[in-house]
Amino acid sequence: MNYFALIKNQFKMKVNILIIAALIFMSACVSTKKYDELLAEKVKLSAEFEQSSDKLDKCNEEYAELNAKYNSTKAKNEELDKELEDTKSALGRAQNLYTELDSSNKRLQSNYKELLESSTLKSDKLAKSIAEKEKALINLEQNLMESQKSIDSLTSNLESRERKVQELEGILAKKDSAVQKLKDIVNDALLSFEKNDLSVEVRNGKVYVSLASQLLFSTGSIEIDEKGKQALVQLANVLKNQPEVNVMVEGHTDTQKISKSSKYMNDNWDLSVMRATSVLRILVDNGVDPKQVIAAGRGEHMPIDEAETKEALKKNRRTEIILTPKLDELFQILGN
């Protein structure tokens, strides 16, 4: 029972008491006037009671509304209290976090200051390094330009040399062709002679006509036999039509010492020179230009076979006629 209901009940009790008192009074034969006054009072009280009841009902309704609002407000207050506690807890955590962040921020500011100072120092060093590198780059570019000029000059020289090499290769090809052709002509001219007496071959770009000693000379002699003369005449007929060929006649002996000496011939070297000269004379006498020919003596110093056998000695006793195409054009290119 609420407060307003208690008041209403108390008011009803008072009214009832008055009614009972009036009845008791009436039963005691009170006067009519007094009765009327009591009755009027009763009516007035009843009206007031009704009005009070209505007000009391309204108050009860208002109370119920207020009580509901109170309960609602109380629940909200409890929720707010909980939220307040949560907020206080969150605030505490936030304050702790703020403290940590503030500490971190101070460390970061300190680190930033150090980095800024270090960066400034490094920046100065870097700027200095860049300036030095730029200077080096300028020097390098200048060197590169000079190198390019040198390369251009070398390229031009290389192209010129390549042209000369091509010319040389062409000349050498022609020379090789001429040597082979000369070898074939000489070989054809001397086909009638036995292979043991002479050979024709190409070595080092030259034609070597090797004539055995027994084809040309008697032992220790510088006089050429008739068969040898015939071979030399046939060779001269070929060479006199080859004005672009140089002719070197080389005499070679074995290691056996000459049997007798004179004021013109003391050893094998003299013998080899004089034999070469005898061969040269027959070539010249049969049409070869003297300007084309050279006589040389090798003595025993360039043997084919260094053994001391009869066969080795026979091989070493020989006369070699070395035919070399003139290379004036080649030498001219090399000189240029």
Side-chain angles (χ1 to χ4, degrees):
M1 183 181 294
N2 57 39
Y3 175 73
F4 294 104
L6 182 61
I7 294 174
K8 185 176 179 180
N9 290 333
Q10 289 178 354
F11 187 77
K12 283 183 180 181
M13 289 177 66
K14 287 182 179 180
V15 172
N16 290 330
I17 291 170
L18 288 174
I19 292 172
I20 294 171
L23 291 174
I24 295 171
F25 183 74
M26 287 174 62
S27 64
C29 299
V30 296
S31 64
T32 302
K33 181 180 180 182
K34 192 68 171 177
Y35 174 79
D36 291 337
E37 290 177 356
L38 289 172
L39 184 61
E41 183 68 22
K42 173 185 175 295
V43 172
K44 181 181 178 182
L45 289 173
S46 296
E48 290 177 357
F49 175 76
E50 291 298 329
Q51 290 178 357
S52 295
S53 294
D54 292 339
K55 289 181 179 180
L56 185 59
D57 291 336
K58 290 181 179 180
C59 287
N60 281 331
E61 292 175 0
E62 290 177 358
Y63 173 76
E65 291 177 1
L66 289 173
N67 190 47
K69 290 181 179 180
Y70 169 76
N71 291 330
S72 176
T73 302
K74 184 179 179 182
K76 289 182 179 179
N77 284 339
E78 290 176 353
E79 292 177 0
L80 289 173
D81 287 340
K82 184 178 179 182
E83 290 179 0
L84 180 61
E85 290 299 325
D86 294 341
T87 302
K88 286 181 179 179
S89 177
L91 179 60
R93 292 194 299 272
Q95 286 177 341
N96 292 334
L97 181 60
Y98 171 78
T99 302
E100 293 178 1
L101 290 174
D102 184 59
S103 178
S104 297
N105 183 52
K106 289 178 180 178
R107 290 196 303 272
L108 288 173
Q109 286 180 344
S110 176
N111 292 338
Y112 171 74
K113 185 177 179 181
E114 292 177 0
L115 287 173
L116 184 62
E117 292 175 354
S118 176
S119 176
T120 301
L121 182 61
K122 288 182 179 179
S123 178
D124 293 341
K125 290 183 178 179
L126 182 61
K128 184 178 179 180
S129 177
I130 290 174
E132 292 175 353
K133 290 185 183 299
E134 286 179 346
K135 184 177 179 181
L137 181 61
I138 292 173
N139 292 333
L140 185 61
E141 288 177 347
Q142 291 176 348
N143 292 336
L144 184 62
M145 291 176 63
E146 292 176 0
S147 297
Q148 187 61 48
K149 291 180 180 178
S150 178
I151 289 172
D152 293 341
S153 176
L154 289 173
T155 301
S156 177
N157 291 337
L158 181 61
E159 291 175 351
S160 176
R161 292 192 179 195
E162 286 179 349
R163 288 194 296 271
K164 287 184 178 180
V165 168
Q166 291 175 355
E167 292 177 12
L168 289 172
E169 288 176 347
I171 293 171
L172 290 174
K174 289 193 296 183
K175 178 245 183 186
D176 290 341
S177 176
V179 167
Q180 186 60 44
K181 183 178 179 181
L182 178 62
K183 184 253 186 186
D184 294 339
I185 294 173
V186 171
N187 198 51
D188 291 342
L190 302 175
L191 278 177
S192 60
F193 295 91
E194 296 180 6
K195 291 184 178 181
N196 291 333
D197 290 337
L198 63 83
S199 65
V200 181
E201 60 180 343
V202 174
R203 297 199 308 263
N204 303 320
K206 302 174 183 179
V207 176
Y208 282 76
V209 181
S210 183
L211 299 107
S213 179
Q214 68 269 14
L215 175 66
L216 299 177
F217 305 101
S218 300
T219 302
S221 173
I222 61 172
E223 296 293 330
I224 300 175
D225 296 338
E226 286 301 320
K227 188 177 181 181
K229 286 182 180 179
Q230 183 181 354
L232 293 175
V233 169
Q234 289 182 259
L235 180 60
N237 290 332
V238 172
L239 296 180
K240 67 182 180 181
N241 296 319
Q242 303 291 331
E244 298 300 321
V245 175
N246 289 320
V247 181
M248 176 178 283
V249 181
E250 284 187 349
H252 297 267
T253 67
D254 56 24
T255 56
Q256 302 296 317
K257 303 300 181 181
I258 60 175
S259 59
K260 62 180 180 177
S261 63
S262 67
K263 70 174 185 176
Y264 300 109
M265 187 168 61
N266 296 314
D267 52 25
N268 284 333
W269 217 328
D270 287 340
L271 176 61
S272 65
V273 171
M274 296 180 74
R275 283 182 171 181
T277 304
S278 296
V279 171
L280 183 149
R281 291 186 186 282
I282 293 178
L283 294 177
V284 171
D285 290 343
N286 286 275
V288 177
D289 189 345
K291 296 178 182 179
Q292 291 180 245
V293 295
I294 299 173
R298 298 290 188 175
E300 70 267 25
H301 304 294
M302 292 184 69
I304 296 175
D305 190 341
E306 294 187 359
E308 291 296 325
T309 64
K310 184 177 180 180
E311 288 299 321
L313 296 175
K314 182 178 179 181
K315 289 179 184 178
N316 294 334
R317 293 192 300 270
R318 69 197 186 279
T319 299
E320 290 185 338
I321 301 174
I322 304 170
L323 309 178
T324 306
K326 292 182 180 180
L327 302 176
D328 295 343
E329 187 178 3
L330 177 62
F331 292 141
Q332 183 179 0
I333 291 175
L334 292 174
N336 293 333

